[in-house]
Amino acid sequence: MVRSKKKTGLGGWLFLALVLAAYGVTAAIDAEALHFFAKVMGSVVPALVIVFFLLLAADLLLQPKWIRRNLGREAGVRAWLLAAVGGVFASGPVYAWYALVGELREKGMRASIATVFLYSRAVKLPLLPLMIHYFGTAYTLVLCLYLLGFSIVNGLLMVKLENREII
C-alpha cells in the first residue's frame, strides 16, 4: 500500500476563510442565502457530529493489526463479505462514510475492500419494502443481487489497479 504524507500548512484555513468570505458577501447581497446556509448547516452538523464519534470509536477500538488481519491483504473472502454486508447495513449520507473509510485505509484496509463497502451502500434496507411494493419482489431481488455482484466486480477491478500500484 502506498502511503501519502499528511498535508500540513495553511491551505485548509485559507480555503475556510475564502468560503466564509463568499458566504458573507452573499449574505450582504441576499439575506435569504444566509438563512438557507443556516438551514443546510443545521442538517449537516448532526451528521458531522456522528462522523466525529465514529472516527473516535474507530481510532480507539480498531487497531491497525485488526484491520490488516480482517480487511487487509491476508483477510481473503472474509473481508469481501464483511465489506459487502457492512455496506448494506451502513446508513446515512455517503460523505459521512468517506472520513471513516479513509481512516480505515490509513490503518491497512485495502482500496478494493473500501470499493466494495461504498458500492454496496446502494442497497438500502429501509427502502426495500417500498421498492417491493412498487416494483415487485423479483425485480427488487435481482436489482439487489446485481448491485452486490457489481460491488464485487468493482472491488476486483480495484485489485488490478492496486497490483499495478496506480493508486
Side-chain angles (χ1 to χ4, degrees):
M1 180 170 80
V2 178
R3 291 194 178 248
S4 61
K5 293 182 180 179
K6 292 278 186 187
K7 294 181 181 179
T8 59
L10 298 176
W13 291 108
L14 179 63
F15 178 73
L16 177 63
L18 289 173
V19 169
L20 290 175
Y23 270 106
V25 169
T26 304
I29 296 170
D30 183 9
E32 185 65 29
L34 187 61
H35 181 263
F36 177 75
F37 173 73
K39 184 178 172 184
V40 169
M41 288 308 292
S43 65
V44 170
V45 168
L48 292 177
V49 169
I50 292 171
V51 167
F52 173 76
F53 283 111
L54 283 173
L55 286 172
L56 180 66
D59 198 43
L60 294 175
L61 301 175
L62 300 177
Q63 300 301 318
K65 183 180 176 183
W66 185 92
I67 294 170
R68 281 192 298 274
R69 187 176 66 243
N70 292 293
L71 300 173
R73 296 211 182 276
E74 63 264 11
V77 175
R78 179 181 61 230
W80 293 77
L81 291 175
L82 185 62
V85 170
V88 169
F89 283 106
S91 62
V94 71
Y95 62 81
W97 289 100
Y98 289 155
L100 182 63
V101 171
E103 178 89 14
L104 293 174
R105 290 264 301 123
E106 287 178 4
K107 290 185 175 187
M109 179 187 214
R110 289 183 291 169
S112 55
I113 301 303
T115 302
V116 171
F117 173 81
L118 291 172
Y119 199 99
S120 296
R121 288 191 70 260
V123 177
K124 305 288 187 207
L125 287 181
L127 298 178
L128 286 180
L130 187 65
M131 195 171 180
I132 290 170
H133 172 73
Y134 283 113
F135 300 109
T137 305
Y139 177 84
T140 302
L141 182 64
V142 168
L143 180 64
C144 289
L145 290 175
Y146 272 135
L147 289 171
L148 292 173
F150 279 109
S151 75
I152 301 296
V153 169
N154 282 327
L156 291 172
L157 290 172
M158 190 57 68
V159 166
K160 296 293 185 190
L161 292 174
E162 277 182 309
N163 290 339
R164 293 182 184 172
E165 295 185 17
I166 292 173
I167 55 171

